[in-house]
Amino acid sequence: MAAEPFELGGLSRPRVSPERAAEVAARYGAVTAPLVELGSQQDRNFLVTTERGRFVLKLANAATGTAELEAQHLALRQLAAAGLGVPLPVADGDGAELSATDVEGERLLTRLLTFVEGEPLIEVEDFGLEQAALLGDTAGRVVAALVDFDHPGLHRRNQWDLRLAGDVVAALLDHVPDEDRRTRLAAAREEALRRLAPVAGRLREQTIHADITDDNVVRDAAGRVGVIDFGDLQRSWRVAELAATCAATLTRDPDPALLLGAVEAFTAHVPLDDAELTALWPLVWLRTAVLVVSGEQQVALDGDNEYADVRRAAEWRSFALASSWDPDEMDALVRAAAGRLGQHQHPFGPMLPAGLAPAVLDLSVLSPALDGGAWLEEDIEDRLLEHGADGGGVAVTRWAEYRLTRARPLTARNGSPTLALAVDLVLPPETVLRAPFAGGIEPTDDGLVLRGEGIDLFLHGRLEHAPAGSAKGAAAQGAELARVTGRLRVQLSALLGVRPPAFVAPRCERLWRRISPDPSALLGVDVAAEPVDADSVLARRDAAYAQVQEHYYRRPPQIERGWRELLVDTTAQVYVDAVNNVATLGHSHPRLVEAAARQWALLNTNARFHYAVVAELSERLAELAPDGLDHVFLVNSGSEAVDLALRLAQTATARPRILAAREAYHGWTIGSDAVSTSLGDNPRALESRPAWVELMDAPNPVRGTHRGPDSAAAYLADLDAQLDALGAAGRQELAGVILEPIFGNGGGVLLPQGYVAGVYDRVRALGGLCISDEVQVGYGRLGDHFWGFEQQGAVPDIITIAKAMGNGQPLGAVLTTRAIAEAFAAEGSFFSSAGGSPVSARIGLTVLDVVRDEGLQDNARVVGGHFRERLLALAERHPSMGAVHGMGLYLGVELVSDRAAFTPDGALADRVCEELLWRGCIVQPTGDFKNVLKIKPPLVITQRSVDFVCDALDEVLTELGG
C-alpha cells in the first residue's frame, strides 16, 4: 500500500502559547489553575483544571481533519460502553464538542476531553511482567471492543499505519544522522518486509488504537485501567495493535518474557491466526524502525519538542534490541505465548533398541572436560562425543543444557545460542530407530519428522533403510522408523508444523522447555539438565550472606567459570572482564592451577612452619623492590598489609600521626579504614576520622583544588601551610604518610608529576616514613613501571601489595627495610597464620614467574596504550567522556553531564555499566561520585578484547546520547 509523501513525514506542532490555550479553555468554563502542557508528538495538549475537575485541552495539528476527530469521539463512546476507561468529549458553551480556533494564522480544531485519572505506566520504575501483561490485556480489550467499528475518518494513510511501515522507513531514513544506524535500519526493513510478504495479503483489518504503550495506559489507586491519546486511531491490520504494544515493552526491559507476557494477555481476548502470528515479529521490527526514523525527523522539524527528543535513545534501544534477536526464535516464542502449543496425551515408547544405554555427556559450564580453555576448541563437541562412544558404546548430550561448547566470546548484544533444545548421540552402525509414538512420517532436508498427536519428532542424521513408502507414510508406535549410523540429533516440538532451533539464546528457558520437550523417555536415560535460576541463588545469597557485602549489578549474572580475560555465566554467556585487577594472570591460568594443586597435594599449613617456598617468594619480592627494601612480611590482604604498614611506621618512629590524602581508599580494617576517605565507599568518611589521622587535600589534577599537570607545586605549597599550622608539637608527632601513587579508587587518576616525591621530602625532613600503597596500581599493571611510585620518581620506605600478588588467592605483603622491620619487635613477634602459607606462597611465586615469562608487564604497556588511545578517540566523539585517566592497564573514564563545568554524572555511569553488561563487557563505576568507569582488566587481555569493549562503550554512549 503506497502513500503520498506528505503523509509519511512528521508534522510540526502548532505554535500555541499557554496564554492562548488558556483563552481557548475559558470557553468551557472557569479555569482555576495555570495550564500545564502535556507531551505530544505532533499536537498541543494542555492539562486544564476547572471547578468541575480536570480536563485535557487538545489543539490538533493543522493537517488534522474534522472527520478524524469525529471518528475518535465515536470510538471513545463505544470503548466506554465496553467498560474501558477512556477520555470523553465535553461540549463548550455553545454545545459543540469540536470547534475551530485561529492561532497565529492557522485554523486548529480544538476540543476538551475528560481527564483519565491514574499513574501512567511509563512512570512505574520497576516495570515488569505485571505491567507488560497489563499492556497486552488492554490492547486486546481495545481491539475486541472496536472489532465492528468503522468510520470514513479512519480511512487515512499516515506514518503510524504499519501497512505503510516499509515506505515510512525508506522515506525518512535520511533523517537519521549516523551512517551505521541507517545501514542497520535499512537491513532490518528489508528482512522484515521479506518475512512479511507471504502473509501480508491475509492479515485481517479493523479499527485499532495503534499506540497502546506505557505512555498511553494509566492505572489509578483502585487498579482501574484507562487508555488515553487516540490520535493514532486508524484502520490497519489487527495484529499491528499488538506489534505496537510489544515494541513498547522493549524500551523498558531487554527481557523478552515481558513482550511474551503481553502477547499471552492480548491473545486471551483476540486469538491470532497463523498469518498474524507469522507477521507479528516482522511488524515489531518495523514498528521500532518507524519510531526511530519518525523521532529523528520530528526533532529536525520541531527542534524544541522535548517530548520527541528525550525518547530517541529509548526508541533506538527498542529497535536495536528487536533487530538483534533471532527472528526464528522469536517466531517460535510468540506462537507458544499465543497458545499454539500442542498437547501430547500418551506416553512415549522407546526409540532406541533395548539394552542400548547411552552415557550422558556433561558439556555444561562446570564440566571438567572443558577445563583449560578446551571449550574454545572448534571440534571439542565431536571429539567428546566420539570419545564417549569409543568401544562401541553410545554417548548422548543433555537436553536443556547450556552448553559451554556453544559459547562464543566477544559476541555483541544478542549473546550466544547455548541452550540445547536437541540432543546429539553417536550410535553404532545400523542402529534401528523405532517410532516412540504413532504418526505420519515426512522427509526433511537432513532427516525425517514423525508427526504425532500434539507432538512432532525431528531426527537429523545419516538415516538409511527407511521403511518403504516412508516419504509419505505412517508408523504405529514401536514400528521401525529408520536405521542410523554415527551422529544423530533428536528434537521434539510441541509447535506443530514448526521446527524450533536446536540451540537458542538464554531467554525464556521455561517456555522453551515447553516448546521443545524432554526426550529422555525416547532414549531410555535421563538427559534433562537442571534448570538454571540465577535469581534464586541470588535470593539465597541475600538471605544468608550479609547484604552489606555488595554485588555488582542489579540483576547480576551468576559467574561460575573464567578463562584468561573472559568470564562465563551459568547460561554459557561470555563477558570480557575489564575490571578484575585481582586476576593478574587472568582466570584459570594452567600454570597457576597446576602449581596450586601440586602444593595442596604436598602441604598447606600454618605459616610458622619452615618450608622453602616462603623464602623463595620473599627473595623474589625483595629483588623487585628498590635497594634497601629487602625485608618482607606476608599477610592475607591489602587491608591487612596497609594496617601493618601503618603500625610499622608508628612503631619505628614512636609517633602516632599519619598523613593521608582525601579521596583515597586503603582498606577495611580499623587501621586501613582510618586513613581511607573515599566517599564512594563510605559517605561518612570525612566525619569519622580518628585524631591521629591528618588529612591533606586530594592532589587531583583533573577536578581538585588545583588543576592541570603542573599543579604539584600548588598542592605542595598548601601542604607546607598545613604542616606549619600543626605547630612544632604537631609536626613532631608525624609518623609518616600513606599515598596511592596513582588514585586507584578515583579511576586511575595520575597525580601531578613531582607531587609524591615532594611529599616524601617533606615528611622525611620531619622524621617520618613514607608508605606507598601499591595494592591496586602496582605489580606491572602500569606497563612502563612495575611499581606505581616509579612513575613519580619517588622511593618509599614501606610498600604494601596484595590483589595482583595472588591472582585471587588471599595474599598480601609489606616490603620495608631491615631497620623498620626490626623496630617492630617492640610490638612483640608478628605472624599471620595463613599469610604466606605454602599454597599462598607457591601461588605468589608462580604469579611472578608467569608475569616474567609471558611478558605481561609489556602487554600492559602495549595493549594498555592501545586501550587508552581508543578511549581518547572516543572522548572526541562523546561529550559525556570528561576525561580519560591512567596508564597501562589501569584506566578510568570520567563521565560528566557538562564537560565545561565537569559535572559528575554517576547516573550515566551506572546506566553505562548495566548496558555494557548486556553487551558482554564487565565494567564498574568508582570515585567519590561513582561517575568514573574503572578499567583494570587482567594483564593477559588482548587487543581484540580491548577493541570489543571500546566498540561496546561507543555504542552505549551513542544510544544514551552521551
Side-chain angles (χ1 to χ4, degrees):
M1 180 179 292
E4 290 84 7
F6 80 90
E7 293 175 321
L8 296 176
L11 298 166
S12 296
R13 293 176 302 163
R15 303 292 175 181
V16 183
S17 68
E19 293 76 19
R20 183 69 180 103
E23 294 175 7
V24 176
R27 298 205 304 252
Y28 296 90
V31 177
T32 59
L35 272 62
V36 177
E37 184 164 5
L38 304 173
S40 176
Q41 187 88 355
Q42 295 176 352
D43 299 329
R44 289 280 181 177
N45 300 327
F46 296 88
L47 178 62
V48 179
T49 303
T50 74
E51 295 173 345
R52 293 183 293 161
R54 299 203 294 174
F55 300 88
V56 177
L57 177 69
K58 300 180 74 70
L59 295 96
N61 197 286
T64 303
T66 301
E68 294 175 38
L69 300 185
E70 289 175 343
Q72 287 184 31
H73 289 181
L74 291 172
L76 290 171
R77 289 192 168 91
Q78 182 155 324
L79 290 169
L84 286 151
V86 294
L88 293 172
V90 177
D92 63 14
D94 297 327
E97 293 180 348
L98 189 62
S99 58
T101 301
D102 290 327
V103 179
E104 295 190 7
E106 285 189 306
R107 181 177 179 274
L108 306 179
L109 293 174
T110 64
R111 57 208 171 116
L112 193 74
L113 298 177
T114 57
F115 183 79
V116 180
E117 298 289 348
E119 178 188 33
L121 293 190
I122 198 170
E123 295 179 8
V124 177
E125 289 188 12
D126 191 18
F127 188 97
L129 186 57
E130 176 190 352
Q131 289 74 24
L134 181 62
L135 286 179
D137 177 79
T138 303
R141 291 173 62 198
V142 168
V143 167
L146 294 176
V147 66
D148 60 352
F149 180 81
D150 200 1
H151 188 279
L154 300 176
H155 293 264
R156 59 192 177 96
R157 296 172 179 176
N158 65 85
Q159 72 194 91
W160 305 114
D161 185 348
L162 286 185
R163 296 175 299 180
L164 307 174
D167 294 332
V168 174
V169 174
L172 303 185
L173 192 60
D174 287 343
H175 289 281
V176 179
D178 185 83
E179 182 179 357
D180 178 63
R181 290 191 174 190
R182 290 196 302 273
T183 300
R184 291 172 64 179
L185 286 160
R189 169 190 176 273
E190 182 177 348
E191 176 62 15
L193 292 177
R194 184 189 70 79
R195 288 174 171 271
L196 194 59
V199 296
R202 293 185 278 130
L203 299 178
R204 292 174 288 184
E205 297 182 357
Q206 71 159 82
T207 300
I208 62 172
H209 178 284
D211 200 21
I212 302 293
T213 67
D214 53 352
D215 262 331
N216 295 329
V217 175
V218 302
R219 183 164 54 178
D220 66 16
R224 292 184 292 263
V225 176
V227 183
I228 60 174
D229 192 356
F230 283 75
D232 295 334
L233 192 76
Q234 60 186 265
R235 294 286 294 188
S236 188
W237 288 323
R238 171 186 299 193
V239 70
E241 186 80 270
L242 178 56
T245 297
C246 288
T249 69
L250 299 179
T251 65
R252 301 303 300 270
D253 195 298
D255 185 352
L258 274 64
L259 181 149
L260 298 172
V263 172
E264 183 177 2
F266 179 92
T267 53
H269 298 283
V270 183
L272 298 178
D273 62 24
D274 187 71
E276 289 168 325
L277 290 171
T278 300
L280 179 57
W281 192 243
L283 289 176
V284 172
W285 277 17
L286 290 171
R287 168 71 176 188
T288 59
V290 167
L291 287 171
V292 169
V293 297
S294 297
E296 294 288 357
Q297 189 219 23
Q298 194 65 38
V299 170
L301 285 173
D302 192 7
D304 65 346
N305 190 341
E306 183 180 0
Y307 175 85
D309 189 33
V310 299
R311 281 160 171 72
R312 287 191 295 173
E315 288 165 350
W316 173 258
R317 173 187 170 86
S318 66
F319 166 77
L321 191 62
S323 59
S324 74
W325 288 343
D326 185 287
D328 292 329
E329 288 185 26
M330 292 310 301
D331 181 79
L333 288 168
V334 160
R335 291 174 184 275
R340 287 304 187 93
L341 292 178
Q343 300 296 322
H344 184 71
Q345 303 296 329
H346 307 292
F348 295 134
M351 186 178 69
L352 300 180
L356 197 62
V360 181
L361 290 181
D362 179 5
L363 301 178
S364 74
V365 172
L366 300 179
S367 173
L370 302 176
D371 289 351
W375 55 279
L376 290 168
E377 298 170 11
E378 289 188 5
D379 62 345
I380 187 65
E381 272 190 18
D382 291 336
R383 287 194 286 112
L384 289 176
L385 269 170
E386 293 293 342
H387 179 72
D390 282 351
V394 179
V396 62
T397 61
R398 293 196 292 190
W399 169 80
E401 175 182 69
Y402 288 102
R403 286 194 200 175
L404 182 58
T405 50
R406 296 280 164 164
R408 297 294 177 263
L410 310 186
T411 302
R413 189 187 301 278
N414 193 38
S416 304
T418 55
L419 180 62
L421 303 181
V423 299
D424 295 313
L425 302 90
V426 174
L427 296 169
E430 296 291 308
T431 299
V432 175
L433 303 179
R434 301 196 175 275
F437 51 81
I441 305 171
E442 299 176 13
T444 64
D445 291 340
D446 56 10
L448 64 82
V449 57
L450 175 66
R451 301 197 183 280
E453 182 182 341
I455 196 75
D456 290 341
L457 169 62
F458 290 90
L459 299 179
H460 169 204
R462 197 176 72 189
L463 304 176
E464 300 174 348
H465 308 298
S470 65
K472 287 292 181 181
Q477 187 174 26
E480 181 176 333
L481 275 178
R483 299 189 181 191
V484 64
T485 296
R487 189 76 170 262
L488 176 70
R489 176 163 290 171
V490 178
Q491 184 174 15
L492 291 168
S493 174
L495 277 177
L496 304 184
V498 176
R499 183 176 186 173
F503 297 91
V504 295
R507 300 184 286 264
C508 309
E509 178 183 345
R510 293 179 183 176
L511 189 53
W512 281 122
R513 284 172 170 259
R514 294 171 54 206
I515 292 171
S516 196
D518 180 3
S520 293
L522 285 64
L523 306 173
V525 64
D526 184 4
V527 296
E530 288 294 322
V532 168
D533 190 353
D535 290 341
S536 68
V537 176
L538 183 62
R540 288 165 49 205
R541 168 185 169 133
D542 288 345
Y545 188 67
Q547 291 187 43
V548 71
Q549 301 168 93
E550 63 183 14
H551 55 70
Y552 293 150
Y553 303 109
R554 287 185 287 276
R555 294 171 61 181
Q558 185 180 336
I559 303 294
E560 297 290 355
R561 184 183 281 273
W563 176 248
R564 294 183 58 84
E565 73 269 30
L566 305 176
L567 292 171
V568 186
D569 70 18
T570 48
T571 65
Q573 299 306 295
V574 185
Y575 308 85
V576 175
D577 180 1
V579 78
N580 210 325
N581 64 329
V582 173
T584 316
L585 314 184
H587 304 281
S588 306
H589 194 289
R591 283 180 65 180
L592 201 61
V593 171
E594 182 181 0
R598 176 60 181 153
Q599 187 62 57
W600 270 110
L602 290 172
L603 174 71
N604 196 39
T605 187
N606 184 331
R608 285 180 163 181
F609 284 93
H610 176 44
Y611 43 87
V613 69
V614 73
E616 296 170 23
L617 175 59
S618 298
E619 288 171 345
R620 287 285 294 281
L621 291 172
E623 290 170 3
L624 292 165
D627 290 344
L629 300 183
D630 53 8
H631 274 56
V632 177
F633 293 83
L634 294 177
V635 292
N636 296 301
S637 69
S639 294
E640 190 179 351
V642 168
D643 199 284
L644 175 58
L646 296 174
R647 291 178 61 194
L648 286 170
Q650 291 168 327
T651 303
T653 61
R655 296 175 175 183
R657 191 182 296 270
I658 296 291
L659 192 62
R662 288 185 172 86
E663 299 183 18
Y665 172 79
H666 297 287
W668 275 105
T669 62
I670 290 178
S672 60
D673 179 66
V675 292
S676 295
T677 52
S678 169
L679 300 180
D681 295 282
N682 178 6
R684 296 182 59 248
L686 297 178
E687 306 168 20
S688 54
R689 296 309 91 199
W692 56 269
V693 175
E694 178 72 20
L695 295 179
M696 55 186 175
D697 195 9
N700 189 326
V702 180
R703 63 162 61 254
T705 304
H706 310 291
R707 302 189 181 186
D710 300 324
S711 57
Y715 280 113
L716 291 172
D718 290 348
L719 177 59
D720 287 336
Q722 182 177 355
L723 293 173
D724 287 344
L726 289 176
R731 291 193 293 274
Q732 289 174 2
E733 292 183 342
L734 187 63
V737 62
I738 183 167
L739 275 174
E740 291 179 285
I742 292 174
F743 267 12
N745 249 39
V749 177
L750 299 176
L751 307 188
Q753 196 61 39
Y755 174 80
V756 173
V759 172
Y760 284 6
D761 289 344
R762 285 157 175 78
V763 169
R764 284 178 174 139
L766 296 174
L769 299 175
C770 302
I771 304 168
S772 185
D773 183 354
E774 302 277 337
V775 168
Q776 294 204 72
V777 300
Y779 238 60
R781 177 161 290 279
L782 300 183
D784 288 323
H785 309 284
F786 189 84
W787 301 110
F789 56 77
E790 293 174 323
Q791 188 268 338
Q792 280 278 319
V795 178
D797 303 297
I798 304 171
I799 303 171
T800 63
I801 50 179
K803 292 188 185 295
M805 235 187 121
N807 209 73
Q809 175 77 7
L811 180 60
V814 177
L815 281 62
T816 190
T817 66
R818 174 184 292 273
I820 294 172
E822 291 182 349
F824 195 57
E827 295 274 324
S829 64
F830 172 83
F831 74 96
S832 174
S833 293
S837 69
V839 168
S840 291
R842 178 62 63 191
I843 287 174
L845 191 62
T846 305
V847 167
L848 288 174
D849 288 343
V850 174
V851 169
R852 178 197 61 206
D853 297 346
E854 297 187 3
L856 296 188
Q857 183 178 340
D858 194 54
N859 193 65
R861 179 183 61 81
V862 175
V863 176
H866 174 74
F867 211 151
R868 180 176 170 82
E869 289 302 315
R870 282 291 317 266
L871 293 173
L872 288 171
L874 290 181
E876 294 179 3
R877 298 181 50 211
H878 298 289
S880 62
M881 291 178 65
V884 176
H885 304 307
M887 62 186 300
L889 285 174
Y890 206 114
L891 302 169
V893 176
E894 184 134 3
L895 297 181
V896 296
S897 57
D898 183 323
R899 185 179 279 188
F902 216 62
T903 307
D905 197 338
L908 177 62
D910 179 71
R911 181 75 183 275
V912 166
C913 291
E914 293 286 345
E915 293 288 329
L916 286 174
L917 178 69
W918 180 52
R919 289 165 174 80
C921 307
I922 293 182
V923 175
Q924 281 294 298
T926 190
D928 277 6
F929 305 100
K930 293 292 187 184
N931 71 308
V932 182
L933 306 180
K934 56 183 173 184
I935 299 172
K936 43 182 189 172
L939 300 190
V940 296
I941 193 170
T942 63
Q943 184 171 312
R944 184 166 172 244
S945 290
V946 165
D947 287 335
F948 179 77
V949 173
C950 290
D951 291 345
L953 178 60
D954 185 19
E955 184 178 75
V956 168
L957 289 176
T958 299
E959 288 189 14
L960 297 181

